[in-house]
Amino acid sequence: MAIKDMHKAENSFQISILVGIRDPEWKKVFVELINKEREFTNERFPSMALATVDVEGRPAVRTVSPRGFVGDGFLRISKEDKGQWTSDVLTFCTHAKSNKVRELVDTNEVQLVCWLPNIRVQIRCSGHAHLLFHPENPNYTTLSLDIRHRVWPRDGTAAEHEEVREQKLKAREIGGPIDPANAKVEINDEFIREQAYLHHSPVIQAWYSWPAPGKVRISNPSLYPEEIPKIEDETEKEKFEANARRNYVLVFVDVNKVDVVDLNNQTRKIYTRRSGAIWSVTDANP
């Protein structure tokens, strides 16, 4: 990854400009901190508080469980992806009939905050949410985020080595860079969404088949199956499975600012996207 550092005084803070086409520095720090916390909790990914603006213009916050970054783990970008792609696009999921869906459609600016108690670190991610509905859902829409420009070859993979080789060759031939490997990457949005759904437990999958969250509960236990595979009637089982998939929404968060406060070391770093792959990092008071 090409990195260019420039230091200058600005508002009494120390500023560095980071330029690259690989994992930005904030993601590396984020993953490192999660791994440290995992030593105490064994959680794959920490829960985060999601802040939105409700339909009446008031603040709303709730806890969500992020699925991870597009390209990482089970969030492969297509059937052909053998683990060579990664990104800085954070994901979480929600029920299509939940209040937050309407809120995110109206105003897609969000903040996600997690507190890692064992290592005493707070991470706040700000960005824009892009909703990916099931194709059969009435609210289905194409993804407004061109995710190809947020995906790149994972370090150490054949795709990454080939890109570096081609860049060096092109630089020798014409003295300039070539289009990055991600310019031709094929993204299968529905494949990503389906894999995210399949990696939930049967209990969580069943929850997506339930009536709309937040509404008055109907006194009919059959509407609230604990696990869809345990439904004996095959027709009912298929109906609930179809409802669960239709109600499952995967949310992509295009992060543009990350605020990391480490209370153990009494440090605070604010990472801000300037444009494209250009980020700045500010050392601030905790």
Side-chain angles (χ1 to χ4, degrees), residues 6-36:
M6 299 187 302
H7 300 280
K8 63 180 180 178
E10 179 178 302
N11 296 329
S12 300
F13 294 136
Q14 190 69 19
I15 306 290
S16 299
I17 303 299
L18 309 176
V19 182
I21 56 171
R22 294 290 183 269
D23 282 350
E25 196 64 27
W26 74 263
K27 182 188 172 184
K28 295 177 183 178
V29 171
F30 188 97
V31 172
E32 180 182 354
L33 292 170
I34 288 177
N35 287 337
K36 287 182 179 179

PDB file of all heavy atoms in Angstrom, residues 6-36:
ATOM      1  N   MET A   6       2.078  13.514   5.605  1.00  0.00           N
ATOM      2  CA  MET A   6       2.402  14.927   5.683  1.00  0.00           C
ATOM      3  C   MET A   6       1.924  15.426   7.036  1.00  0.00           C
ATOM      4  O   MET A   6       0.785  15.187   7.424  1.00  0.00           O
ATOM      5  CB  MET A   6       1.709  15.728   4.567  1.00  0.00           C
ATOM      6  CG  MET A   6       2.115  15.311   3.170  1.00  0.00           C
ATOM      7  SD  MET A   6       1.421  16.411   1.914  1.00  0.00           S
ATOM      8  CE  MET A   6      -0.324  16.236   2.250  1.00  0.00           C
ATOM      9  N   HIS A   7       2.801  16.104   7.777  1.00  0.00           N
ATOM     10  CA  HIS A   7       2.458  16.578   9.103  1.00  0.00           C
ATOM     11  C   HIS A   7       2.407  18.099   9.106  1.00  0.00           C
ATOM     12  O   HIS A   7       3.312  18.757   8.602  1.00  0.00           O
ATOM     13  CB  HIS A   7       3.506  16.106  10.120  1.00  0.00           C
ATOM     14  CG  HIS A   7       3.605  14.623  10.188  1.00  0.00           C
ATOM     15  ND1 HIS A   7       2.709  13.840  10.891  1.00  0.00           N
ATOM     16  CD2 HIS A   7       4.474  13.770   9.621  1.00  0.00           C
ATOM     17  CE1 HIS A   7       3.035  12.576  10.761  1.00  0.00           C
ATOM     18  NE2 HIS A   7       4.105  12.503   9.991  1.00  0.00           N
ATOM     19  N   LYS A   8       1.350  18.636   9.696  1.00  0.00           N
ATOM     20  CA  LYS A   8       1.246  20.082   9.811  1.00  0.00           C
ATOM     21  C   LYS A   8       0.366  20.423  11.002  1.00  0.00           C
ATOM     22  O   LYS A   8      -0.455  19.630  11.436  1.00  0.00           O
ATOM     23  CB  LYS A   8       0.663  20.692   8.538  1.00  0.00           C
ATOM     24  CG  LYS A   8      -0.767  20.237   8.234  1.00  0.00           C
ATOM     25  CD  LYS A   8      -1.272  20.891   6.962  1.00  0.00           C
ATOM     26  CE  LYS A   8      -2.702  20.441   6.672  1.00  0.00           C
ATOM     27  NZ  LYS A   8      -3.244  21.096   5.474  1.00  0.00           N
ATOM     28  N   ALA A   9       0.541  21.616  11.533  1.00  0.00           N
ATOM     29  CA  ALA A   9      -0.288  22.054  12.663  1.00  0.00           C
ATOM     30  C   ALA A   9      -1.591  22.587  12.125  1.00  0.00           C
ATOM     31  O   ALA A   9      -1.618  23.355  11.193  1.00  0.00           O
ATOM     32  CB  ALA A   9       0.439  23.153  13.441  1.00  0.00           C
ATOM     33  N   GLU A  10      -2.694  22.143  12.730  1.00  0.00           N
ATOM     34  CA  GLU A  10      -4.012  22.620  12.328  1.00  0.00           C
ATOM     35  C   GLU A  10      -4.907  22.564  13.548  1.00  0.00           C
ATOM     36  O   GLU A  10      -5.181  21.507  14.083  1.00  0.00           O
ATOM     37  CB  GLU A  10      -4.568  21.745  11.192  1.00  0.00           C
ATOM     38  CG  GLU A  10      -5.950  22.177  10.729  1.00  0.00           C
ATOM     39  CD  GLU A  10      -6.433  21.319   9.571  1.00  0.00           C
ATOM     40  OE1 GLU A  10      -5.739  21.277   8.546  1.00  0.00           O
ATOM     41  OE2 GLU A  10      -7.490  20.700   9.715  1.00  0.00           O
ATOM     42  N   ASN A  11      -5.374  23.728  13.988  1.00  0.00           N
ATOM     43  CA  ASN A  11      -6.225  23.796  15.185  1.00  0.00           C
ATOM     44  C   ASN A  11      -5.563  23.116  16.378  1.00  0.00           C
ATOM     45  O   ASN A  11      -6.209  22.459  17.177  1.00  0.00           O
ATOM     46  CB  ASN A  11      -7.577  23.149  14.904  1.00  0.00           C
ATOM     47  CG  ASN A  11      -8.347  23.882  13.842  1.00  0.00           C
ATOM     48  OD1 ASN A  11      -8.209  25.098  13.698  1.00  0.00           O
ATOM     49  ND2 ASN A  11      -9.142  23.168  13.071  1.00  0.00           N
ATOM     50  N   SER A  12      -4.260  23.261  16.479  1.00  0.00           N
ATOM     51  CA  SER A  12      -3.479  22.739  17.609  1.00  0.00           C
ATOM     52  C   SER A  12      -3.411  21.220  17.655  1.00  0.00           C
ATOM     53  O   SER A  12      -2.957  20.641  18.612  1.00  0.00           O
ATOM     54  CB  SER A  12      -4.045  23.258  18.949  1.00  0.00           C
ATOM     55  OG  SER A  12      -4.004  24.655  18.988  1.00  0.00           O
ATOM     56  N   PHE A  13      -3.890  20.525  16.592  1.00  0.00           N
ATOM     57  CA  PHE A  13      -3.815  19.080  16.529  1.00  0.00           C
ATOM     58  C   PHE A  13      -2.713  18.674  15.558  1.00  0.00           C
ATOM     59  O   PHE A  13      -2.330  19.421  14.675  1.00  0.00           O
ATOM     60  CB  PHE A  13      -5.144  18.471  16.035  1.00  0.00           C
ATOM     61  CG  PHE A  13      -6.288  18.673  16.982  1.00  0.00           C
ATOM     62  CD1 PHE A  13      -7.536  19.055  16.508  1.00  0.00           C
ATOM     63  CD2 PHE A  13      -6.119  18.477  18.336  1.00  0.00           C
ATOM     64  CE1 PHE A  13      -8.588  19.227  17.376  1.00  0.00           C
ATOM     65  CE2 PHE A  13      -7.177  18.650  19.207  1.00  0.00           C
ATOM     66  CZ  PHE A  13      -8.409  19.035  18.732  1.00  0.00           C
ATOM     67  N   GLN A  14      -2.222  17.432  15.714  1.00  0.00           N
ATOM     68  CA  GLN A  14      -1.263  16.891  14.776  1.00  0.00           C
ATOM     69  C   GLN A  14      -2.026  16.133  13.700  1.00  0.00           C
ATOM     70  O   GLN A  14      -2.808  15.230  13.988  1.00  0.00           O
ATOM     71  CB  GLN A  14      -0.283  15.946  15.485  1.00  0.00           C
ATOM     72  CG  GLN A  14       0.906  15.516  14.642  1.00  0.00           C
ATOM     73  CD  GLN A  14       1.860  16.666  14.381  1.00  0.00           C
ATOM     74  OE1 GLN A  14       1.831  17.655  15.086  1.00  0.00           O
ATOM     75  NE2 GLN A  14       2.685  16.528  13.361  1.00  0.00           N
ATOM     76  N   ILE A  15      -1.840  16.506  12.434  1.00  0.00           N
ATOM     77  CA  ILE A  15      -2.592  15.939  11.325  1.00  0.00           C
ATOM     78  C   ILE A  15      -1.656  15.117  10.446  1.00  0.00           C
ATOM     79  O   ILE A  15      -0.556  15.551  10.128  1.00  0.00           O
ATOM     80  CB  ILE A  15      -3.248  17.027  10.460  1.00  0.00           C
ATOM     81  CG1 ILE A  15      -4.110  17.969  11.317  1.00  0.00           C
ATOM     82  CG2 ILE A  15      -4.074  16.409   9.342  1.00  0.00           C
ATOM     83  CD1 ILE A  15      -5.346  17.351  11.867  1.00  0.00           C
ATOM     84  N   SER A  16      -2.089  13.929  10.035  1.00  0.00           N
ATOM     85  CA  SER A  16      -1.365  13.135   9.053  1.00  0.00           C
ATOM     86  C   SER A  16      -2.323  12.814   7.922  1.00  0.00           C
ATOM     87  O   SER A  16      -3.502  12.554   8.157  1.00  0.00           O
ATOM     88  CB  SER A  16      -0.837  11.833   9.660  1.00  0.00           C
ATOM     89  OG  SER A  16       0.061  12.094  10.705  1.00  0.00           O
ATOM     90  N   ILE A  17      -1.845  12.844   6.685  1.00  0.00           N
ATOM     91  CA  ILE A  17      -2.648  12.481   5.531  1.00  0.00           C
ATOM     92  C   ILE A  17      -2.217  11.101   5.069  1.00  0.00           C
ATOM     93  O   ILE A  17      -1.036  10.855   4.835  1.00  0.00           O
ATOM     94  CB  ILE A  17      -2.471  13.494   4.383  1.00  0.00           C
ATOM     95  CG1 ILE A  17      -2.816  14.899   4.862  1.00  0.00           C
ATOM     96  CG2 ILE A  17      -3.348  13.097   3.197  1.00  0.00           C
ATOM     97  CD1 ILE A  17      -4.239  15.073   5.334  1.00  0.00           C
ATOM     98  N   LEU A  18      -3.190  10.177   4.965  1.00  0.00           N
ATOM     99  CA  LEU A  18      -2.910   8.804   4.587  1.00  0.00           C
ATOM    100  C   LEU A  18      -3.566   8.518   3.248  1.00  0.00           C
ATOM    101  O   LEU A  18      -4.771   8.725   3.087  1.00  0.00           O
ATOM    102  CB  LEU A  18      -3.448   7.833   5.640  1.00  0.00           C
ATOM    103  CG  LEU A  18      -3.052   8.132   7.093  1.00  0.00           C
ATOM    104  CD1 LEU A  18      -3.737   7.152   8.025  1.00  0.00           C
ATOM    105  CD2 LEU A  18      -1.545   8.070   7.266  1.00  0.00           C
ATOM    106  N   VAL A  19      -2.778   8.071   2.280  1.00  0.00           N
ATOM    107  CA  VAL A  19      -3.301   7.776   0.954  1.00  0.00           C
ATOM    108  C   VAL A  19      -3.026   6.316   0.637  1.00  0.00           C
ATOM    109  O   VAL A  19      -1.907   5.846   0.809  1.00  0.00           O
ATOM    110  CB  VAL A  19      -2.649   8.671  -0.114  1.00  0.00           C
ATOM    111  CG1 VAL A  19      -3.249   8.371  -1.484  1.00  0.00           C
ATOM    112  CG2 VAL A  19      -2.823  10.135   0.240  1.00  0.00           C
ATOM    113  N   GLY A  20      -4.025   5.589   0.165  1.00  0.00           N
ATOM    114  CA  GLY A  20      -3.787   4.202  -0.172  1.00  0.00           C
ATOM    115  C   GLY A  20      -4.987   3.548  -0.810  1.00  0.00           C
ATOM    116  O   GLY A  20      -6.054   4.142  -0.914  1.00  0.00           O
ATOM    117  N   ILE A  21      -4.794   2.329  -1.308  1.00  0.00           N
ATOM    118  CA  ILE A  21      -5.886   1.573  -1.917  1.00  0.00           C
ATOM    119  C   ILE A  21      -6.052   0.235  -1.208  1.00  0.00           C
ATOM    120  O   ILE A  21      -6.601  -0.706  -1.765  1.00  0.00           O
ATOM    121  CB  ILE A  21      -5.634   1.350  -3.421  1.00  0.00           C
ATOM    122  CG1 ILE A  21      -4.277   0.659  -3.642  1.00  0.00           C
ATOM    123  CG2 ILE A  21      -5.710   2.638  -4.205  1.00  0.00           C
ATOM    124  CD1 ILE A  21      -4.043   0.212  -5.074  1.00  0.00           C
ATOM    125  N   ARG A  22      -5.570   0.143   0.016  1.00  0.00           N
ATOM    126  CA  ARG A  22      -5.738  -1.054   0.821  1.00  0.00           C
ATOM    127  C   ARG A  22      -6.526  -0.682   2.078  1.00  0.00           C
ATOM    128  O   ARG A  22      -7.041   0.425   2.186  1.00  0.00           O
ATOM    129  CB  ARG A  22      -4.364  -1.631   1.191  1.00  0.00           C
ATOM    130  CG  ARG A  22      -3.577  -2.148   0.002  1.00  0.00           C
ATOM    131  CD  ARG A  22      -4.211  -3.427  -0.568  1.00  0.00           C
ATOM    132  NE  ARG A  22      -3.425  -3.968  -1.662  1.00  0.00           N
ATOM    133  CZ  ARG A  22      -3.614  -3.659  -2.933  1.00  0.00           C
ATOM    134  NH1 ARG A  22      -4.557  -2.821  -3.268  1.00  0.00           N
ATOM    135  NH2 ARG A  22      -2.872  -4.203  -3.871  1.00  0.00           N
ATOM    136  N   ASP A  23      -6.588  -1.610   3.021  1.00  0.00           N
ATOM    137  CA  ASP A  23      -7.301  -1.317   4.256  1.00  0.00           C
ATOM    138  C   ASP A  23      -6.813   0.006   4.841  1.00  0.00           C
ATOM    139  O   ASP A  23      -5.613   0.165   5.075  1.00  0.00           O
ATOM    140  CB  ASP A  23      -7.056  -2.422   5.285  1.00  0.00           C
ATOM    141  CG  ASP A  23      -7.887  -3.663   5.006  1.00  0.00           C
ATOM    142  OD1 ASP A  23      -8.773  -3.602   4.153  1.00  0.00           O
ATOM    143  OD2 ASP A  23      -7.628  -4.691   5.658  1.00  0.00           O
ATOM    144  N   PRO A  24      -7.735   0.947   5.069  1.00  0.00           N
ATOM    145  CA  PRO A  24      -7.318   2.200   5.711  1.00  0.00           C
ATOM    146  C   PRO A  24      -6.843   1.939   7.134  1.00  0.00           C
ATOM    147  O   PRO A  24      -7.175   0.915   7.748  1.00  0.00           O
ATOM    148  CB  PRO A  24      -8.600   3.049   5.695  1.00  0.00           C
ATOM    149  CG  PRO A  24      -9.705   2.048   5.626  1.00  0.00           C
ATOM    150  CD  PRO A  24      -9.179   0.913   4.809  1.00  0.00           C
ATOM    151  N   GLU A  25      -6.074   2.865   7.664  1.00  0.00           N
ATOM    152  CA  GLU A  25      -5.468   2.661   8.973  1.00  0.00           C
ATOM    153  C   GLU A  25      -6.507   2.421  10.049  1.00  0.00           C
ATOM    154  O   GLU A  25      -6.297   1.618  10.966  1.00  0.00           O
ATOM    155  CB  GLU A  25      -4.597   3.871   9.328  1.00  0.00           C
ATOM    156  CG  GLU A  25      -3.620   3.625  10.462  1.00  0.00           C
ATOM    157  CD  GLU A  25      -2.584   2.564  10.123  1.00  0.00           C
ATOM    158  OE1 GLU A  25      -2.276   2.384   8.937  1.00  0.00           O
ATOM    159  OE2 GLU A  25      -2.106   1.902  11.071  1.00  0.00           O
ATOM    160  N   TRP A  26      -7.677   3.080   9.958  1.00  0.00           N
ATOM    161  CA  TRP A  26      -8.684   2.930  11.003  1.00  0.00           C
ATOM    162  C   TRP A  26      -9.205   1.493  11.070  1.00  0.00           C
ATOM    163  O   TRP A  26      -9.475   0.972  12.154  1.00  0.00           O
ATOM    164  CB  TRP A  26      -9.844   3.903  10.797  1.00  0.00           C
ATOM    165  CG  TRP A  26     -10.794   3.561   9.688  1.00  0.00           C
ATOM    166  CD1 TRP A  26     -10.792   4.048   8.413  1.00  0.00           C
ATOM    167  CD2 TRP A  26     -11.912   2.655   9.751  1.00  0.00           C
ATOM    168  NE1 TRP A  26     -11.811   3.506   7.676  1.00  0.00           N
ATOM    169  CE2 TRP A  26     -12.522   2.652   8.465  1.00  0.00           C
ATOM    170  CE3 TRP A  26     -12.449   1.850  10.753  1.00  0.00           C
ATOM    171  CZ2 TRP A  26     -13.636   1.873   8.170  1.00  0.00           C
ATOM    172  CZ3 TRP A  26     -13.565   1.068  10.455  1.00  0.00           C
ATOM    173  CH2 TRP A  26     -14.144   1.096   9.181  1.00  0.00           C
ATOM    174  N   LYS A  27      -9.346   0.832   9.893  1.00  0.00           N
ATOM    175  CA  LYS A  27      -9.833  -0.551   9.915  1.00  0.00           C
ATOM    176  C   LYS A  27      -8.809  -1.467  10.569  1.00  0.00           C
ATOM    177  O   LYS A  27      -9.160  -2.374  11.335  1.00  0.00           O
ATOM    178  CB  LYS A  27     -10.163  -1.037   8.513  1.00  0.00           C
ATOM    179  CG  LYS A  27     -10.725  -2.472   8.533  1.00  0.00           C
ATOM    180  CD  LYS A  27     -10.882  -3.076   7.159  1.00  0.00           C
ATOM    181  CE  LYS A  27     -11.261  -4.553   7.275  1.00  0.00           C
ATOM    182  NZ  LYS A  27     -11.330  -5.227   5.960  1.00  0.00           N
ATOM    183  N   LYS A  28      -7.539  -1.254  10.274  1.00  0.00           N
ATOM    184  CA  LYS A  28      -6.494  -2.070  10.894  1.00  0.00           C
ATOM    185  C   LYS A  28      -6.540  -1.918  12.419  1.00  0.00           C
ATOM    186  O   LYS A  28      -6.442  -2.898  13.153  1.00  0.00           O
ATOM    187  CB  LYS A  28      -5.134  -1.665  10.356  1.00  0.00           C
ATOM    188  CG  LYS A  28      -4.947  -1.932   8.873  1.00  0.00           C
ATOM    189  CD  LYS A  28      -3.592  -1.423   8.402  1.00  0.00           C
ATOM    190  CE  LYS A  28      -3.413  -1.612   6.910  1.00  0.00           C
ATOM    191  NZ  LYS A  28      -2.125  -1.088   6.414  1.00  0.00           N
ATOM    192  N   VAL A  29      -6.701  -0.670  12.872  1.00  0.00           N
ATOM    193  CA  VAL A  29      -6.784  -0.413  14.311  1.00  0.00           C
ATOM    194  C   VAL A  29      -8.044  -1.049  14.884  1.00  0.00           C
ATOM    195  O   VAL A  29      -8.019  -1.688  15.947  1.00  0.00           O
ATOM    196  CB  VAL A  29      -6.772   1.108  14.578  1.00  0.00           C
ATOM    197  CG1 VAL A  29      -7.087   1.403  16.037  1.00  0.00           C
ATOM    198  CG2 VAL A  29      -5.424   1.710  14.190  1.00  0.00           C
ATOM    199  N   PHE A  30      -9.162  -0.890  14.192  1.00  0.00           N
ATOM    200  CA  PHE A  30     -10.447  -1.443  14.613  1.00  0.00           C
ATOM    201  C   PHE A  30     -10.345  -2.954  14.810  1.00  0.00           C
ATOM    202  O   PHE A  30     -10.736  -3.503  15.853  1.00  0.00           O
ATOM    203  CB  PHE A  30     -11.500  -1.103  13.547  1.00  0.00           C
ATOM    204  CG  PHE A  30     -12.918  -1.438  13.918  1.00  0.00           C
ATOM    205  CD1 PHE A  30     -13.765  -0.465  14.427  1.00  0.00           C
ATOM    206  CD2 PHE A  30     -13.415  -2.720  13.745  1.00  0.00           C
ATOM    207  CE1 PHE A  30     -15.084  -0.776  14.761  1.00  0.00           C
ATOM    208  CE2 PHE A  30     -14.724  -3.038  14.075  1.00  0.00           C
ATOM    209  CZ  PHE A  30     -15.553  -2.053  14.582  1.00  0.00           C
ATOM    210  N   VAL A  31      -9.816  -3.653  13.806  1.00  0.00           N
ATOM    211  CA  VAL A  31      -9.696  -5.106  13.868  1.00  0.00           C
ATOM    212  C   VAL A  31      -8.751  -5.524  14.983  1.00  0.00           C
ATOM    213  O   VAL A  31      -9.011  -6.489  15.722  1.00  0.00           O
ATOM    214  CB  VAL A  31      -9.225  -5.655  12.512  1.00  0.00           C
ATOM    215  CG1 VAL A  31      -8.901  -7.144  12.621  1.00  0.00           C
ATOM    216  CG2 VAL A  31     -10.285  -5.427  11.442  1.00  0.00           C
ATOM    217  N   GLU A  32      -7.655  -4.810  15.140  1.00  0.00           N
ATOM    218  CA  GLU A  32      -6.696  -5.131  16.198  1.00  0.00           C
ATOM    219  C   GLU A  32      -7.344  -5.008  17.578  1.00  0.00           C
ATOM    220  O   GLU A  32      -7.150  -5.869  18.448  1.00  0.00           O
ATOM    221  CB  GLU A  32      -5.487  -4.209  16.104  1.00  0.00           C
ATOM    222  CG  GLU A  32      -4.426  -4.464  17.166  1.00  0.00           C
ATOM    223  CD  GLU A  32      -3.243  -3.508  17.078  1.00  0.00           C
ATOM    224  OE1 GLU A  32      -3.201  -2.711  16.124  1.00  0.00           O
ATOM    225  OE2 GLU A  32      -2.382  -3.551  17.971  1.00  0.00           O
ATOM    226  N   LEU A  33      -8.128  -3.951  17.777  1.00  0.00           N
ATOM    227  CA  LEU A  33      -8.782  -3.752  19.063  1.00  0.00           C
ATOM    228  C   LEU A  33      -9.848  -4.817  19.329  1.00  0.00           C
ATOM    229  O   LEU A  33      -9.987  -5.306  20.455  1.00  0.00           O
ATOM    230  CB  LEU A  33      -9.403  -2.351  19.112  1.00  0.00           C
ATOM    231  CG  LEU A  33      -8.405  -1.192  19.143  1.00  0.00           C
ATOM    232  CD1 LEU A  33      -9.124   0.138  18.953  1.00  0.00           C
ATOM    233  CD2 LEU A  33      -7.624  -1.189  20.456  1.00  0.00           C
ATOM    234  N   ILE A  34     -10.606  -5.183  18.287  1.00  0.00           N
ATOM    235  CA  ILE A  34     -11.614  -6.232  18.447  1.00  0.00           C
ATOM    236  C   ILE A  34     -10.954  -7.554  18.831  1.00  0.00           C
ATOM    237  O   ILE A  34     -11.452  -8.299  19.691  1.00  0.00           O
ATOM    238  CB  ILE A  34     -12.422  -6.391  17.148  1.00  0.00           C
ATOM    239  CG1 ILE A  34     -13.364  -5.206  16.959  1.00  0.00           C
ATOM    240  CG2 ILE A  34     -13.231  -7.687  17.163  1.00  0.00           C
ATOM    241  CD1 ILE A  34     -14.141  -5.251  15.665  1.00  0.00           C
ATOM    242  N   ASN A  35      -9.830  -7.849  18.206  1.00  0.00           N
ATOM    243  CA  ASN A  35      -9.120  -9.091  18.523  1.00  0.00           C
ATOM    244  C   ASN A  35      -8.630  -9.088  19.969  1.00  0.00           C
ATOM    245  O   ASN A  35      -8.638 -10.127  20.639  1.00  0.00           O
ATOM    246  CB  ASN A  35      -7.945  -9.278  17.567  1.00  0.00           C
ATOM    247  CG  ASN A  35      -8.403  -9.658  16.161  1.00  0.00           C
ATOM    248  OD1 ASN A  35      -9.504 -10.181  15.986  1.00  0.00           O
ATOM    249  ND2 ASN A  35      -7.571  -9.391  15.171  1.00  0.00           N
ATOM    250  N   LYS A  36      -8.195  -7.937  20.461  1.00  0.00           N
ATOM    251  CA  LYS A  36      -7.766  -7.851  21.861  1.00  0.00           C
ATOM    252  C   LYS A  36      -8.948  -8.083  22.799  1.00  0.00           C
ATOM    253  O   LYS A  36      -8.832  -8.797  23.798  1.00  0.00           O
ATOM    254  CB  LYS A  36      -7.141  -6.481  22.134  1.00  0.00           C
ATOM    255  CG  LYS A  36      -5.764  -6.278  21.524  1.00  0.00           C
ATOM    256  CD  LYS A  36      -5.209  -4.913  21.888  1.00  0.00           C
ATOM    257  CE  LYS A  36      -3.821  -4.705  21.301  1.00  0.00           C
ATOM    258  NZ  LYS A  36      -3.276  -3.355  21.633  1.00  0.00           N
TER     259      LYS A  36
END
